[in-house]
Amino acid sequence: MIPKKIKNVLKKQHYSLVGKHSAIQICRWTKKSLRNEGVCYKEKFYGIKSHQCCQMTPAVVWCQNKCLHCWRAIEYTLGTKIKKSDSPSEIIDQCIEAQKRLLVGFKKIPNSKRKQLSKADMKKFKEAQEPMQFAISLSGEPTLYEKIGELITELRRRKKTSFLVTNGLRPRKILELKRKNQLPTQLYISVNSSNKKDYEKFHRSSERNAWEKLNLTLRILPSLKCRTVFRINLIKDFNMDKKNIKEFAKLIKKSNPMFVELKGFMSVGFARQRIGYDKMPWHEEIKDFAEKLVNELNRIGVKIKILDEHYFSRALVIGRNKKDLKIKEDQI
C-alpha cells in the first residue's frame, strides 16, 4: 500500500513499518529512561512510564493537512483514505513486536565476560518488552484509520493507556467514539493556529471548511467523558503574539479542556526545510507565554494555573488542579 520510495524515506527516519499502514518509532525519552537518564514530560505530568511507551500511528502517511511544522515528508502524503486496513489486534501485536526488535540493542548478555556496551537498566528493559502506554500520534492523522475506536477498545481490554492526538477535523468520528464508549485515556486536540487566516496559511488543509470543523470538535470537547487536552505547538513569530493569546483564550474557554499543553516547536526532520531553528522558542519564552495566557484566561472567567513544566522538552501544562494530572486506574 505504501510505495517503496516512501518506505525508504520512513526507514531513514528510523520508523519501523507495521502492516499495511501503521508505524512505530522509538522515542528518545524511551531510550533515556532505559538508561536512567531522565523521563519525558508525559511521565512527569501524567504518570505514564517512558520506558513502557509505544509511540505509534495507524495512518503513517495519511492526513488532511500539510502543516509547515510537521517533521514528516508531507509531499509524500497518500491522501485521506486507507483502502485496505489491518485489524486493531494485528496492529497492536505487530507494534509490540517491532518495539521489541528496535530495543534489542539495549539487552545485556547475562554472565558475559566481555565488556557490556549497554547502559540500560535490565529491570526496565524487561518491563519495556510489554508496552503499557500507546501514544497514538507520531505521524499522519490517526482518526483516518476507521477502526480507531476498536483499536482504543482493544488497548483498554489489555489494560493499556492510550493517548490519541488528532487535528480535530473529524468531529463526527469524535462523536462516534463518544457514542460507542471508545474514547481514549487522554484525547489531544492540536490547535496551533488561533484564527482562520493563520490556520489556512499554516496547515494547508485539503479538507473543506477545515477551520469550521476544528471549531465544531472544540465545541464537542466539554461533553466527552475522558481526559481532554488542548495542545498548542508554539512557534516564534507565528502564534506567540498578544493577539494570539487572546484568540487562544477564547478557544480554550469554548472547549473547556481538562488541561492545556504548551510545547515548543522543534525544527527536526523535514520541518527543517520549512521552518528554521530561529523559530524554536526557548523554555523561558514558552513559560512567559503560558503566564500571559493564564492571566488572560483568568480575566475572562476561566480559573486556571500552570501545573507543571518540563524544561528539556520545552513543555508546560496548565489546568485547574494539580491533583488531577496523574492518571488514575479508573481512567484507563
Side-chain angles (χ1 to χ4, degrees):
M1 187 182 288
I2 301 174
K4 186 176 180 180
K5 183 178 180 181
I6 300 177
K7 285 183 179 180
N8 291 336
V9 171
L10 292 169
K11 286 175 182 176
K12 283 182 181 179
Q13 287 192 297
H14 305 291
Y15 287 80
S16 179
L17 297 175
V18 171
K20 294 188 283 290
H21 49 81
S22 305
I24 75 158
Q25 187 185 56
I26 303 297
C27 173
R28 72 186 183 100
W29 287 107
T30 297
K31 299 173 185 177
K32 280 182 172 291
S33 179
L34 284 169
R35 295 190 292 257
N36 290 320
E37 294 174 352
V39 297
C40 79
Y41 70 92
K42 295 189 191 80
E43 178 166 339
K44 188 171 188 285
F45 294 174
Y46 310 118
I48 64 98
K49 300 300 180 184
S50 299
H51 69 286
Q52 287 186 289
C53 181
C54 181
Q55 182 182 236
M56 59 82 67
T57 173
V60 64
V61 282
W62 286 265
C63 190
Q64 309 97 318
N65 295 346
K66 293 184 178 180
C67 306
L68 293 175
H69 75 301
C70 185
W71 57 77
R72 66 187 177 90
I74 55 178
E75 62 271 25
Y76 293 136
T77 300
L78 294 181
T80 60
K81 299 290 183 183
I82 300 174
K83 295 176 182 178
K84 294 181 180 179
S85 64
D86 299 318
S87 74
S89 291
E90 285 177 314
I91 293 171
I92 295 168
D93 290 341
Q94 290 182 49
C95 280
I96 292 171
E97 289 306 310
Q99 183 107 333
K100 287 179 182 178
R101 288 196 302 273
L102 291 175
L103 291 177
V104 72
F106 285 86
K107 185 177 182 179
K108 292 179 181 176
I109 303 171
N111 305 316
S112 175
K113 294 181 180 179
R114 293 183 179 183
K115 183 179 179 181
Q116 300 277 4
L117 297 178
S118 174
K119 297 179 181 179
D121 179 325
M122 283 297 99
K123 181 177 182 292
K124 281 188 171 182
F125 176 81
K126 186 176 179 180
E127 292 173 346
Q129 302 307 296
E130 184 62 41
M132 297 306 294
Q133 153 68 10
F134 272 61
I136 310 172
S137 52
L138 183 60
S139 178
E141 171 49 42
T143 64
L144 292 175
Y145 172 55
E146 288 299 334
K147 297 175 186 175
I148 187 67
E150 288 91 334
L151 179 71
I152 291 166
T153 298
E154 179 61 19
L155 288 169
R156 187 184 298 128
R157 189 188 70 78
R158 300 188 191 196
K159 307 297 183 185
K160 301 180 190 296
T161 52
S162 57
F163 284 12
L164 174 63
V165 181
T166 174
N167 57 28
L169 297 186
R170 300 199 72 199
R172 289 185 180 181
K173 194 66 179 178
I174 301 300
L175 286 172
E176 179 188 309
L177 297 181
K178 174 188 175 183
R179 186 176 70 254
K180 294 183 177 180
N181 192 30
Q182 294 176 334
L183 289 164
T185 309
Q186 189 154 292
L187 177 67
Y188 288 77
I189 309 296
S190 291
V191 190
N192 303 312
S193 304
S194 60
N195 59 71
K196 184 175 181 177
K197 182 180 178 182
D198 286 350
Y199 184 92
E200 291 175 348
K201 178 182 177 182
F202 186 78
H203 295 278
R204 304 184 295 176
S205 185
S206 63
E207 188 82 17
R208 289 185 62 188
N209 302 316
W211 175 251
E212 288 73 22
K213 288 179 180 177
L214 169 59
N215 276 268
L216 178 55
T217 297
L218 294 179
R219 286 195 290 273
I220 292 168
L221 222 59
S223 71
L224 304 182
K225 293 183 179 179
C226 72
R227 297 163 59 93
T228 54
V229 183
F230 186 111
R231 192 172 194 272
I232 309 173
N233 216 313
L234 291 172
I235 305 164
K236 288 171 77 169
D237 301 326
F238 170 69
N239 61 3
M240 297 181 71
D241 293 340
K242 289 181 180 179
K243 175 194 74 169
N244 301 123
I245 290 170
K246 290 190 175 184
E247 291 171 344
F248 276 128
K250 289 178 181 177
L251 294 172
I252 292 165
K253 184 175 183 178
K254 173 171 64 178
S255 56
N256 191 31
M258 194 169 183
F259 307 110
V260 177
E261 197 177 283
L262 305 176
K263 181 82 171 64
F265 159 72
M266 303 301 287
S267 187
V268 296
F270 286 88
R272 290 175 295 179
Q273 299 173 12
R274 308 180 209 107
I275 306 177
Y277 293 112
D278 60 316
K279 303 303 179 186
M280 292 169 48
W282 295 102
H283 185 78
E284 292 76 10
E285 293 173 307
I286 297 167
K287 190 167 184 178
D288 179 65
F289 180 94
E291 289 169 350
K292 290 174 181 175
L293 180 60
V294 165
N295 289 338
E296 179 61 20
L297 283 164
N298 287 333
R299 189 188 71 80
I300 63 175
V302 181
K303 299 305 176 185
I304 208 165
K305 59 187 176 182
I306 295 174
L307 301 180
D308 208 346
E309 59 185 304
H310 191 274
Y311 182 85
F312 295 104
S313 294
R314 304 186 192 189
L316 288 97
V317 62
I318 298 168
R320 293 173 179 81
N321 199 322
K322 191 166 184 175
K323 71 177 185 179
D324 296 328
L325 265 180
K326 296 291 189 284
I327 295 169
K328 300 172 180 61
E329 195 170 323
D330 62 355
Q331 294 177 320
I332 296 175

